[in-house]
Amino acid sequence: MLIIGVTGNSGSGKTSISKLLEKKLNVDIIDADKVVKEMSMPGAIYFKEIVKKFGKDILLENGELNKQKLAGIIFTNNEKREALNSLTFKYVVEEITKRAKLSKNEIVIIDAPLLIESGLNQICDIVISVLANEKTKIKRICTRDSIDEDTARKRINAQPKNDFYIENSNLVVINNDNCNLEKQVINIKEIIESQILKNKETVIIQKEDLKILQFKRLLDYKEYITHAFTLKPLDFGSNNTYTKKKEEIDNNYKLVCELLNLDSKNIIRPYQTHTNNVKEVNDEIGVFNESFINIDGLVTNERNRILSLTFADCTPLYLFDKNKKVIGNIHSGWQGTVKKIAKRGVKFMKETYNSNPKDIICVIGPTIRKCHFEVQKDVKDIFYNTFSYMEKINEIIEYNKKTKSYFIDTVEINKNLLIEEGILEKNIVDSKVCTFCNSDIFHSYRKEGEEAGRNTALISLI
Ligand SMILES: [Zn+2]
């Protein structure tokens, strides 16, 4: 069974999304608010506990709970809110967990405003947070609950900020007023089916067709850096297709940058040609800047330089020196791996900025993995001749009798190369995502051939 938790601020539209998901995925849905309502009826233990805590003033004439009065109290008084929450968490979480486990359906959705705060997220395989901007939320709350703007704003201010949801979710859906709900839900369904959400190292941010992957380890440094790896359908084109698709690609850069609060005119994108050349970025920026021909690694210590490289199966390496505040973005395809560009990138940081490799965090993004990186003897020989010294070479390169070909683990090779340069193993984070296995959501050259689009990896100091 797959348990999906859906949460978010008041007015974010999470219930509309849950209801559409219920239809599209044919699942059981547990509405936490409804469970609370049932348990708040006179006579229930939860009801009795609330009256004990808040006094009889909280009751209507007919003896039921005065919800509006209760909401008014808890949205303005932190202490009382916590008292109510701890009661709710104790009784309601127990009940919801019981109901979820009893379901005979393959997928159960728990729609709960306090999914994360209550600890209900612990029983979920996937956590989806729905967010919206303040204007949208206020409009929705005022219409739904017939309250004035000021009261709605107070409610929103009492709730967690976006960062809290991003840190604690596998998928974040931005659902502003003008968003197409149907499209949002179709995209959620596709992402759920891809299995990528079970990955604990990453979070996907979705705003209709604009989808990016972020790495939790890099989000730990969100005051200094921002980053992304884009998903389909966004396409950033190859060296050859850029002129043909210029308008679309420039617009895609704009969309991603807007989402990250960056200015797309600060993009620097080189002509990648599978070299091991790494170059520092200063004032020269732009997409396909003439000073960046035959460059597959970018490094900078300047703020507002968006290092952008494109990928369709090749390995993206994000580098961040948390002490000297230096970033790097490396394109390590199979040729770049053989030419050891990972080492060149780290060396460049050491030589140019005096980086201590022990301070460098490296994230290995989505890439083709051993499951699908299949080669013939000629390429296998190149790898073997270069890396035969590696301890686990017999696991890194494996012969498959059935296919009469070789499968190579380039991620493991890149990890070893980084460690050779002094990066600590605990500071290397692998996204564990295979682009070929997940070609529904990522561009994959091996799967799609010449027609394949390109994902982009971005990182910038802010
Ligand atoms: Zn694969």
PDB file of all heavy atoms in Angstrom, residues 218 224-229 260 262 266 268 298 300 302 304-309 317-321 326-330 361 456-462:
ATOM      1  N   LEU A 218      21.557  20.506  -0.378  1.00  0.00           N
ATOM      2  CA  LEU A 218      21.901  21.873  -0.797  1.00  0.00           C
ATOM      3  C   LEU A 218      20.918  22.884  -0.212  1.00  0.00           C
ATOM      4  O   LEU A 218      21.271  24.035   0.034  1.00  0.00           O
ATOM      5  CB  LEU A 218      21.945  21.983  -2.327  1.00  0.00           C
ATOM      6  CG  LEU A 218      23.050  21.179  -3.027  1.00  0.00           C
ATOM      7  CD1 LEU A 218      23.006  21.404  -4.531  1.00  0.00           C
ATOM      8  CD2 LEU A 218      24.445  21.540  -2.500  1.00  0.00           C
ATOM      9  N   TYR A 224      22.750  30.902   1.201  1.00  0.00           N
ATOM     10  CA  TYR A 224      23.893  31.236   0.343  1.00  0.00           C
ATOM     11  C   TYR A 224      23.701  30.853  -1.113  1.00  0.00           C
ATOM     12  O   TYR A 224      24.229  31.508  -1.998  1.00  0.00           O
ATOM     13  CB  TYR A 224      25.158  30.530   0.856  1.00  0.00           C
ATOM     14  CG  TYR A 224      25.433  30.780   2.308  1.00  0.00           C
ATOM     15  CD1 TYR A 224      25.257  29.779   3.253  1.00  0.00           C
ATOM     16  CD2 TYR A 224      25.854  32.043   2.732  1.00  0.00           C
ATOM     17  CE1 TYR A 224      25.500  30.017   4.599  1.00  0.00           C
ATOM     18  CE2 TYR A 224      26.099  32.289   4.066  1.00  0.00           C
ATOM     19  CZ  TYR A 224      25.913  31.268   4.996  1.00  0.00           C
ATOM     20  OH  TYR A 224      26.151  31.522   6.314  1.00  0.00           O
ATOM     21  N   ILE A 225      23.020  29.722  -1.335  1.00  0.00           N
ATOM     22  CA  ILE A 225      22.925  29.246  -2.721  1.00  0.00           C
ATOM     23  C   ILE A 225      21.491  28.853  -3.074  1.00  0.00           C
ATOM     24  O   ILE A 225      20.667  28.561  -2.206  1.00  0.00           O
ATOM     25  CB  ILE A 225      23.817  27.993  -2.978  1.00  0.00           C
ATOM     26  CG1 ILE A 225      23.535  26.903  -1.934  1.00  0.00           C
ATOM     27  CG2 ILE A 225      25.269  28.354  -3.045  1.00  0.00           C
ATOM     28  CD1 ILE A 225      24.197  25.573  -2.260  1.00  0.00           C
ATOM     29  N   THR A 226      21.226  28.871  -4.380  1.00  0.00           N
ATOM     30  CA  THR A 226      19.986  28.273  -4.858  1.00  0.00           C
ATOM     31  C   THR A 226      20.341  27.393  -6.051  1.00  0.00           C
ATOM     32  O   THR A 226      21.371  27.590  -6.686  1.00  0.00           O
ATOM     33  CB  THR A 226      18.927  29.341  -5.188  1.00  0.00           C
ATOM     34  OG1 THR A 226      17.723  28.675  -5.520  1.00  0.00           O
ATOM     35  CG2 THR A 226      19.351  30.224  -6.351  1.00  0.00           C
ATOM     36  N   HIS A 227      19.500  26.411  -6.310  1.00  0.00           N
ATOM     37  CA  HIS A 227      19.863  25.445  -7.347  1.00  0.00           C
ATOM     38  C   HIS A 227      18.620  24.749  -7.890  1.00  0.00           C
ATOM     39  O   HIS A 227      17.538  24.850  -7.292  1.00  0.00           O
ATOM     40  CB  HIS A 227      20.806  24.388  -6.760  1.00  0.00           C
ATOM     41  CG  HIS A 227      20.080  23.430  -5.856  1.00  0.00           C
ATOM     42  ND1 HIS A 227      19.714  23.770  -4.561  1.00  0.00           N
ATOM     43  CD2 HIS A 227      19.586  22.192  -6.065  1.00  0.00           C
ATOM     44  CE1 HIS A 227      19.059  22.761  -4.015  1.00  0.00           C
ATOM     45  NE2 HIS A 227      18.958  21.792  -4.905  1.00  0.00           N
ATOM     46  N   ALA A 228      18.786  24.025  -8.989  1.00  0.00           N
ATOM     47  CA  ALA A 228      17.672  23.247  -9.546  1.00  0.00           C
ATOM     48  C   ALA A 228      18.181  22.264 -10.585  1.00  0.00           C
ATOM     49  O   ALA A 228      19.266  22.450 -11.144  1.00  0.00           O
ATOM     50  CB  ALA A 228      16.661  24.182 -10.216  1.00  0.00           C
ATOM     51  N   PHE A 229      17.400  21.214 -10.795  1.00  0.00           N
ATOM     52  CA  PHE A 229      17.578  20.337 -11.958  1.00  0.00           C
ATOM     53  C   PHE A 229      16.194  20.229 -12.573  1.00  0.00           C
ATOM     54  O   PHE A 229      15.242  19.843 -11.898  1.00  0.00           O
ATOM     55  CB  PHE A 229      18.100  18.955 -11.538  1.00  0.00           C
ATOM     56  CG  PHE A 229      18.521  18.107 -12.710  1.00  0.00           C
ATOM     57  CD1 PHE A 229      19.803  18.227 -13.242  1.00  0.00           C
ATOM     58  CD2 PHE A 229      17.639  17.210 -13.299  1.00  0.00           C
ATOM     59  CE1 PHE A 229      20.192  17.464 -14.340  1.00  0.00           C
ATOM     60  CE2 PHE A 229      18.027  16.438 -14.389  1.00  0.00           C
ATOM     61  CZ  PHE A 229      19.308  16.565 -14.912  1.00  0.00           C
ATOM     62  N   LEU A 260      12.905  30.545  -8.864  1.00  0.00           N
ATOM     63  CA  LEU A 260      14.007  30.553  -7.886  1.00  0.00           C
ATOM     64  C   LEU A 260      14.356  31.963  -7.405  1.00  0.00           C
ATOM     65  O   LEU A 260      15.341  32.143  -6.687  1.00  0.00           O
ATOM     66  CB  LEU A 260      15.257  29.916  -8.518  1.00  0.00           C
ATOM     67  CG  LEU A 260      15.159  28.447  -8.922  1.00  0.00           C
ATOM     68  CD1 LEU A 260      16.368  28.051  -9.740  1.00  0.00           C
ATOM     69  CD2 LEU A 260      15.035  27.549  -7.701  1.00  0.00           C
ATOM     70  N   LEU A 262      15.526  34.374  -9.255  1.00  0.00           N
ATOM     71  CA  LEU A 262      16.781  34.781  -9.895  1.00  0.00           C
ATOM     72  C   LEU A 262      16.439  35.580 -11.149  1.00  0.00           C
ATOM     73  O   LEU A 262      15.316  35.495 -11.659  1.00  0.00           O
ATOM     74  CB  LEU A 262      17.601  33.548 -10.290  1.00  0.00           C
ATOM     75  CG  LEU A 262      18.075  32.634  -9.172  1.00  0.00           C
ATOM     76  CD1 LEU A 262      18.667  31.359  -9.771  1.00  0.00           C
ATOM     77  CD2 LEU A 262      19.122  33.327  -8.297  1.00  0.00           C
ATOM     78  N   ASN A 266      21.361  36.680 -15.796  1.00  0.00           N
ATOM     79  CA  ASN A 266      22.617  36.258 -15.167  1.00  0.00           C
ATOM     80  C   ASN A 266      23.002  34.806 -15.477  1.00  0.00           C
ATOM     81  O   ASN A 266      23.918  34.253 -14.868  1.00  0.00           O
ATOM     82  CB  ASN A 266      22.538  36.448 -13.653  1.00  0.00           C
ATOM     83  CG  ASN A 266      22.461  37.914 -13.277  1.00  0.00           C
ATOM     84  OD1 ASN A 266      23.043  38.754 -13.949  1.00  0.00           O
ATOM     85  ND2 ASN A 266      21.726  38.229 -12.221  1.00  0.00           N
ATOM     86  N   ILE A 268      24.792  31.844 -17.225  1.00  0.00           N
ATOM     87  CA  ILE A 268      25.963  31.595 -18.061  1.00  0.00           C
ATOM     88  C   ILE A 268      25.902  30.133 -18.500  1.00  0.00           C
ATOM     89  O   ILE A 268      25.853  29.231 -17.675  1.00  0.00           O
ATOM     90  CB  ILE A 268      27.293  31.938 -17.354  1.00  0.00           C
ATOM     91  CG1 ILE A 268      28.495  31.327 -18.092  1.00  0.00           C
ATOM     92  CG2 ILE A 268      27.314  31.514 -15.901  1.00  0.00           C
ATOM     93  CD1 ILE A 268      28.813  31.963 -19.386  1.00  0.00           C
ATOM     94  N   LEU A 298      31.985  24.885 -14.782  1.00  0.00           N
ATOM     95  CA  LEU A 298      31.964  26.306 -14.435  1.00  0.00           C
ATOM     96  C   LEU A 298      32.156  26.444 -12.928  1.00  0.00           C
ATOM     97  O   LEU A 298      31.601  25.654 -12.153  1.00  0.00           O
ATOM     98  CB  LEU A 298      30.615  26.932 -14.824  1.00  0.00           C
ATOM     99  CG  LEU A 298      30.215  26.869 -16.301  1.00  0.00           C
ATOM    100  CD1 LEU A 298      28.766  27.323 -16.462  1.00  0.00           C
ATOM    101  CD2 LEU A 298      31.144  27.723 -17.152  1.00  0.00           C
ATOM    102  N   THR A 300      32.637  29.591  -9.722  1.00  0.00           N
ATOM    103  CA  THR A 300      32.676  31.012  -9.375  1.00  0.00           C
ATOM    104  C   THR A 300      32.556  31.212  -7.867  1.00  0.00           C
ATOM    105  O   THR A 300      32.048  30.335  -7.155  1.00  0.00           O
ATOM    106  CB  THR A 300      31.565  31.812 -10.093  1.00  0.00           C
ATOM    107  OG1 THR A 300      31.834  33.211  -9.978  1.00  0.00           O
ATOM    108  CG2 THR A 300      30.191  31.555  -9.489  1.00  0.00           C
ATOM    109  N   GLU A 302      31.459  34.470  -7.223  1.00  0.00           N
ATOM    110  CA  GLU A 302      30.667  35.703  -7.331  1.00  0.00           C
ATOM    111  C   GLU A 302      29.184  35.400  -7.207  1.00  0.00           C
ATOM    112  O   GLU A 302      28.703  34.389  -7.720  1.00  0.00           O
ATOM    113  CB  GLU A 302      30.957  36.378  -8.675  1.00  0.00           C
ATOM    114  CG  GLU A 302      32.292  37.071  -8.657  1.00  0.00           C
ATOM    115  CD  GLU A 302      32.431  38.035  -9.829  1.00  0.00           C
ATOM    116  OE1 GLU A 302      31.461  38.734 -10.157  1.00  0.00           O
ATOM    117  OE2 GLU A 302      33.531  38.055 -10.405  1.00  0.00           O
ATOM    118  N   ASN A 304      25.144  35.946  -7.850  1.00  0.00           N
ATOM    119  CA  ASN A 304      24.319  36.220  -9.035  1.00  0.00           C
ATOM    120  C   ASN A 304      24.983  35.849 -10.363  1.00  0.00           C
ATOM    121  O   ASN A 304      24.907  36.585 -11.336  1.00  0.00           O
ATOM    122  CB  ASN A 304      23.868  37.674  -9.067  1.00  0.00           C
ATOM    123  CG  ASN A 304      23.111  38.035  -7.806  1.00  0.00           C
ATOM    124  OD1 ASN A 304      22.326  37.223  -7.312  1.00  0.00           O
ATOM    125  ND2 ASN A 304      23.371  39.207  -7.262  1.00  0.00           N
ATOM    126  N   ARG A 305      25.665  34.732 -10.375  1.00  0.00           N
ATOM    127  CA  ARG A 305      26.146  34.141 -11.624  1.00  0.00           C
ATOM    128  C   ARG A 305      25.492  32.764 -11.661  1.00  0.00           C
ATOM    129  O   ARG A 305      25.831  31.901 -10.844  1.00  0.00           O
ATOM    130  CB  ARG A 305      27.669  33.977 -11.626  1.00  0.00           C
ATOM    131  CG  ARG A 305      28.431  35.272 -11.469  1.00  0.00           C
ATOM    132  CD  ARG A 305      28.368  36.083 -12.766  1.00  0.00           C
ATOM    133  NE  ARG A 305      29.072  37.341 -12.641  1.00  0.00           N
ATOM    134  CZ  ARG A 305      28.504  38.478 -12.205  1.00  0.00           C
ATOM    135  NH1 ARG A 305      27.241  38.493 -11.822  1.00  0.00           N
ATOM    136  NH2 ARG A 305      29.197  39.588 -12.153  1.00  0.00           N
ATOM    137  N   ILE A 306      24.552  32.597 -12.568  1.00  0.00           N
ATOM    138  CA  ILE A 306      23.804  31.330 -12.583  1.00  0.00           C
ATOM    139  C   ILE A 306      24.523  30.338 -13.492  1.00  0.00           C
ATOM    140  O   ILE A 306      24.443  30.434 -14.718  1.00  0.00           O
ATOM    141  CB  ILE A 306      22.350  31.553 -13.059  1.00  0.00           C
ATOM    142  CG1 ILE A 306      21.699  32.687 -12.244  1.00  0.00           C
ATOM    143  CG2 ILE A 306      21.551  30.256 -12.944  1.00  0.00           C
ATOM    144  CD1 ILE A 306      20.402  33.203 -12.868  1.00  0.00           C
ATOM    145  N   LEU A 307      25.258  29.420 -12.874  1.00  0.00           N
ATOM    146  CA  LEU A 307      26.020  28.436 -13.640  1.00  0.00           C
ATOM    147  C   LEU A 307      25.042  27.398 -14.185  1.00  0.00           C
ATOM    148  O   LEU A 307      24.383  26.694 -13.424  1.00  0.00           O
ATOM    149  CB  LEU A 307      27.075  27.768 -12.762  1.00  0.00           C
ATOM    150  CG  LEU A 307      27.955  28.691 -11.905  1.00  0.00           C
ATOM    151  CD1 LEU A 307      29.034  27.859 -11.197  1.00  0.00           C
ATOM    152  CD2 LEU A 307      28.585  29.797 -12.749  1.00  0.00           C
ATOM    153  N   SER A 308      24.947  27.327 -15.507  1.00  0.00           N
ATOM    154  CA  SER A 308      23.939  26.462 -16.116  1.00  0.00           C
ATOM    155  C   SER A 308      24.574  25.503 -17.110  1.00  0.00           C
ATOM    156  O   SER A 308      25.269  25.913 -18.037  1.00  0.00           O
ATOM    157  CB  SER A 308      22.912  27.347 -16.838  1.00  0.00           C
ATOM    158  OG  SER A 308      22.235  26.604 -17.813  1.00  0.00           O
ATOM    159  N   LEU A 309      24.344  24.215 -16.914  1.00  0.00           N
ATOM    160  CA  LEU A 309      24.812  23.204 -17.863  1.00  0.00           C
ATOM    161  C   LEU A 309      23.631  22.328 -18.227  1.00  0.00           C
ATOM    162  O   LEU A 309      22.676  22.227 -17.456  1.00  0.00           O
ATOM    163  CB  LEU A 309      25.925  22.354 -17.236  1.00  0.00           C
ATOM    164  CG  LEU A 309      27.223  23.071 -16.861  1.00  0.00           C
ATOM    165  CD1 LEU A 309      28.130  22.131 -16.083  1.00  0.00           C
ATOM    166  CD2 LEU A 309      27.940  23.596 -18.091  1.00  0.00           C
ATOM    167  N   LEU A 317      27.411  17.316 -11.636  1.00  0.00           N
ATOM    168  CA  LEU A 317      28.021  17.391 -10.301  1.00  0.00           C
ATOM    169  C   LEU A 317      27.881  18.822  -9.803  1.00  0.00           C
ATOM    170  O   LEU A 317      28.409  19.748 -10.414  1.00  0.00           O
ATOM    171  CB  LEU A 317      29.507  17.004 -10.365  1.00  0.00           C
ATOM    172  CG  LEU A 317      29.834  15.617 -10.926  1.00  0.00           C
ATOM    173  CD1 LEU A 317      31.345  15.468 -11.117  1.00  0.00           C
ATOM    174  CD2 LEU A 317      29.315  14.516 -10.009  1.00  0.00           C
ATOM    175  N   TYR A 318      27.144  19.001  -8.720  1.00  0.00           N
ATOM    176  CA  TYR A 318      27.005  20.320  -8.101  1.00  0.00           C
ATOM    177  C   TYR A 318      28.034  20.394  -6.982  1.00  0.00           C
ATOM    178  O   TYR A 318      28.095  19.497  -6.131  1.00  0.00           O
ATOM    179  CB  TYR A 318      25.636  20.476  -7.439  1.00  0.00           C
ATOM    180  CG  TYR A 318      24.429  20.439  -8.338  1.00  0.00           C
ATOM    181  CD1 TYR A 318      23.946  19.237  -8.836  1.00  0.00           C
ATOM    182  CD2 TYR A 318      23.731  21.611  -8.638  1.00  0.00           C
ATOM    183  CE1 TYR A 318      22.808  19.205  -9.631  1.00  0.00           C
ATOM    184  CE2 TYR A 318      22.583  21.577  -9.423  1.00  0.00           C
ATOM    185  CZ  TYR A 318      22.125  20.377  -9.916  1.00  0.00           C
ATOM    186  OH  TYR A 318      21.001  20.339 -10.690  1.00  0.00           O
ATOM    187  N   LEU A 319      28.830  21.469  -6.973  1.00  0.00           N
ATOM    188  CA  LEU A 319      29.844  21.614  -5.928  1.00  0.00           C
ATOM    189  C   LEU A 319      29.589  22.883  -5.125  1.00  0.00           C
ATOM    190  O   LEU A 319      29.227  23.920  -5.689  1.00  0.00           O
ATOM    191  CB  LEU A 319      31.245  21.692  -6.566  1.00  0.00           C
ATOM    192  CG  LEU A 319      31.690  20.480  -7.390  1.00  0.00           C
ATOM    193  CD1 LEU A 319      32.946  20.820  -8.182  1.00  0.00           C
ATOM    194  CD2 LEU A 319      31.945  19.272  -6.488  1.00  0.00           C
ATOM    195  N   PHE A 320      29.763  22.797  -3.806  1.00  0.00           N
ATOM    196  CA  PHE A 320      29.620  23.997  -2.966  1.00  0.00           C
ATOM    197  C   PHE A 320      30.624  23.948  -1.818  1.00  0.00           C
ATOM    198  O   PHE A 320      30.590  23.029  -1.000  1.00  0.00           O
ATOM    199  CB  PHE A 320      28.190  24.086  -2.412  1.00  0.00           C
ATOM    200  CG  PHE A 320      27.989  25.216  -1.441  1.00  0.00           C
ATOM    201  CD1 PHE A 320      28.334  26.523  -1.781  1.00  0.00           C
ATOM    202  CD2 PHE A 320      27.461  24.992  -0.169  1.00  0.00           C
ATOM    203  CE1 PHE A 320      28.164  27.577  -0.890  1.00  0.00           C
ATOM    204  CE2 PHE A 320      27.283  26.038   0.733  1.00  0.00           C
ATOM    205  CZ  PHE A 320      27.638  27.335   0.368  1.00  0.00           C
ATOM    206  N   ASP A 321      31.520  24.931  -1.814  1.00  0.00           N
ATOM    207  CA  ASP A 321      32.450  25.073  -0.696  1.00  0.00           C
ATOM    208  C   ASP A 321      31.753  25.951   0.348  1.00  0.00           C
ATOM    209  O   ASP A 321      31.603  27.156   0.166  1.00  0.00           O
ATOM    210  CB  ASP A 321      33.745  25.741  -1.191  1.00  0.00           C
ATOM    211  CG  ASP A 321      34.711  26.050  -0.041  1.00  0.00           C
ATOM    212  OD1 ASP A 321      34.278  25.999   1.137  1.00  0.00           O
ATOM    213  OD2 ASP A 321      35.877  26.373  -0.322  1.00  0.00           O
ATOM    214  N   VAL A 326      32.128  29.083  -2.534  1.00  0.00           N
ATOM    215  CA  VAL A 326      32.451  28.922  -3.957  1.00  0.00           C
ATOM    216  C   VAL A 326      31.528  27.833  -4.497  1.00  0.00           C
ATOM    217  O   VAL A 326      31.251  26.854  -3.796  1.00  0.00           O
ATOM    218  CB  VAL A 326      33.922  28.475  -4.147  1.00  0.00           C
ATOM    219  CG1 VAL A 326      34.246  28.285  -5.620  1.00  0.00           C
ATOM    220  CG2 VAL A 326      34.866  29.469  -3.497  1.00  0.00           C
ATOM    221  N   ILE A 327      31.032  28.019  -5.736  1.00  0.00           N
ATOM    222  CA  ILE A 327      30.181  26.978  -6.324  1.00  0.00           C
ATOM    223  C   ILE A 327      30.786  26.466  -7.624  1.00  0.00           C
ATOM    224  O   ILE A 327      31.570  27.159  -8.278  1.00  0.00           O
ATOM    225  CB  ILE A 327      28.744  27.482  -6.614  1.00  0.00           C
ATOM    226  CG1 ILE A 327      28.770  28.789  -7.429  1.00  0.00           C
ATOM    227  CG2 ILE A 327      27.953  27.657  -5.337  1.00  0.00           C
ATOM    228  CD1 ILE A 327      27.409  29.194  -7.985  1.00  0.00           C
ATOM    229  N   GLY A 328      30.390  25.253  -7.989  1.00  0.00           N
ATOM    230  CA  GLY A 328      30.820  24.685  -9.261  1.00  0.00           C
ATOM    231  C   GLY A 328      29.696  23.871  -9.869  1.00  0.00           C
ATOM    232  O   GLY A 328      28.806  23.385  -9.155  1.00  0.00           O
ATOM    233  N   ASN A 329      29.716  23.777 -11.186  1.00  0.00           N
ATOM    234  CA  ASN A 329      28.749  22.945 -11.900  1.00  0.00           C
ATOM    235  C   ASN A 329      29.537  22.200 -12.971  1.00  0.00           C
ATOM    236  O   ASN A 329      30.237  22.811 -13.771  1.00  0.00           O
ATOM    237  CB  ASN A 329      27.676  23.853 -12.535  1.00  0.00           C
ATOM    238  CG  ASN A 329      26.476  23.067 -13.022  1.00  0.00           C
ATOM    239  OD1 ASN A 329      26.499  21.846 -13.086  1.00  0.00           O
ATOM    240  ND2 ASN A 329      25.419  23.789 -13.370  1.00  0.00           N
ATOM    241  N   ILE A 330      29.475  20.869 -12.912  1.00  0.00           N
ATOM    242  CA  ILE A 330      30.332  20.052 -13.780  1.00  0.00           C
ATOM    243  C   ILE A 330      29.476  19.118 -14.622  1.00  0.00           C
ATOM    244  O   ILE A 330      28.550  18.481 -14.118  1.00  0.00           O
ATOM    245  CB  ILE A 330      31.308  19.185 -12.928  1.00  0.00           C
ATOM    246  CG1 ILE A 330      32.110  20.037 -11.925  1.00  0.00           C
ATOM    247  CG2 ILE A 330      32.213  18.334 -13.810  1.00  0.00           C
ATOM    248  CD1 ILE A 330      33.166  20.924 -12.523  1.00  0.00           C
ATOM    249  N   ILE A 361      30.777  20.297  -0.531  1.00  0.00           N
ATOM    250  CA  ILE A 361      29.660  19.354  -0.639  1.00  0.00           C
ATOM    251  C   ILE A 361      29.484  19.072  -2.118  1.00  0.00           C
ATOM    252  O   ILE A 361      29.525  20.001  -2.929  1.00  0.00           O
ATOM    253  CB  ILE A 361      28.331  20.015  -0.163  1.00  0.00           C
ATOM    254  CG1 ILE A 361      28.492  20.766   1.151  1.00  0.00           C
ATOM    255  CG2 ILE A 361      27.180  19.027  -0.154  1.00  0.00           C
ATOM    256  CD1 ILE A 361      28.398  19.947   2.369  1.00  0.00           C
ATOM    257  N   THR A 456      18.283  20.964 -17.543  1.00  0.00           N
ATOM    258  CA  THR A 456      19.381  21.837 -17.139  1.00  0.00           C
ATOM    259  C   THR A 456      19.622  21.756 -15.636  1.00  0.00           C
ATOM    260  O   THR A 456      18.688  21.580 -14.854  1.00  0.00           O
ATOM    261  CB  THR A 456      19.175  23.300 -17.586  1.00  0.00           C
ATOM    262  OG1 THR A 456      20.388  24.023 -17.350  1.00  0.00           O
ATOM    263  CG2 THR A 456      18.079  24.011 -16.821  1.00  0.00           C
ATOM    264  N   ALA A 457      20.910  21.838 -15.262  1.00  0.00           N
ATOM    265  CA  ALA A 457      21.286  21.947 -13.850  1.00  0.00           C
ATOM    266  C   ALA A 457      21.731  23.381 -13.643  1.00  0.00           C
ATOM    267  O   ALA A 457      22.509  23.913 -14.424  1.00  0.00           O
ATOM    268  CB  ALA A 457      22.431  20.987 -13.539  1.00  0.00           C
ATOM    269  N   LEU A 458      21.210  24.008 -12.593  1.00  0.00           N
ATOM    270  CA  LEU A 458      21.563  25.397 -12.289  1.00  0.00           C
ATOM    271  C   LEU A 458      22.037  25.510 -10.849  1.00  0.00           C
ATOM    272  O   LEU A 458      21.501  24.842  -9.976  1.00  0.00           O
ATOM    273  CB  LEU A 458      20.346  26.316 -12.360  1.00  0.00           C
ATOM    274  CG  LEU A 458      19.464  26.411 -13.588  1.00  0.00           C
ATOM    275  CD1 LEU A 458      18.267  27.266 -13.249  1.00  0.00           C
ATOM    276  CD2 LEU A 458      20.233  27.016 -14.722  1.00  0.00           C
ATOM    277  N   ILE A 459      23.031  26.367 -10.636  1.00  0.00           N
ATOM    278  CA  ILE A 459      23.393  26.699  -9.255  1.00  0.00           C
ATOM    279  C   ILE A 459      23.898  28.140  -9.247  1.00  0.00           C
ATOM    280  O   ILE A 459      24.555  28.597 -10.194  1.00  0.00           O
ATOM    281  CB  ILE A 459      24.437  25.702  -8.670  1.00  0.00           C
ATOM    282  CG1 ILE A 459      24.724  26.045  -7.199  1.00  0.00           C
ATOM    283  CG2 ILE A 459      25.709  25.649  -9.486  1.00  0.00           C
ATOM    284  CD1 ILE A 459      25.428  24.930  -6.426  1.00  0.00           C
ATOM    285  N   SER A 460      23.533  28.877  -8.195  1.00  0.00           N
ATOM    286  CA  SER A 460      23.950  30.278  -8.112  1.00  0.00           C
ATOM    287  C   SER A 460      24.156  30.673  -6.643  1.00  0.00           C
ATOM    288  O   SER A 460      23.422  30.230  -5.766  1.00  0.00           O
ATOM    289  CB  SER A 460      22.868  31.170  -8.720  1.00  0.00           C
ATOM    290  OG  SER A 460      23.184  32.533  -8.576  1.00  0.00           O
ATOM    291  N   LEU A 461      25.172  31.496  -6.409  1.00  0.00           N
ATOM    292  CA  LEU A 461      25.320  32.099  -5.084  1.00  0.00           C
ATOM    293  C   LEU A 461      24.354  33.277  -5.035  1.00  0.00           C
ATOM    294  O   LEU A 461      24.196  33.992  -6.018  1.00  0.00           O
ATOM    295  CB  LEU A 461      26.754  32.602  -4.883  1.00  0.00           C
ATOM    296  CG  LEU A 461      27.843  31.539  -4.665  1.00  0.00           C
ATOM    297  CD1 LEU A 461      29.218  32.146  -4.931  1.00  0.00           C
ATOM    298  CD2 LEU A 461      27.781  30.970  -3.247  1.00  0.00           C
ATOM    299  N   ILE A 462      23.698  33.467  -3.899  1.00  0.00           N
ATOM    300  CA  ILE A 462      22.707  34.560  -3.852  1.00  0.00           C
ATOM    301  C   ILE A 462      23.112  35.624  -2.823  1.00  0.00           C
ATOM    302  O   ILE A 462      23.986  35.391  -2.016  1.00  0.00           O
ATOM    303  CB  ILE A 462      21.280  34.044  -3.515  1.00  0.00           C
ATOM    304  CG1 ILE A 462      21.306  33.102  -2.295  1.00  0.00           C
ATOM    305  CG2 ILE A 462      20.716  33.335  -4.724  1.00  0.00           C
ATOM    306  CD1 ILE A 462      19.945  32.661  -1.846  1.00  0.00           C
TER     307      ILE A 462
END
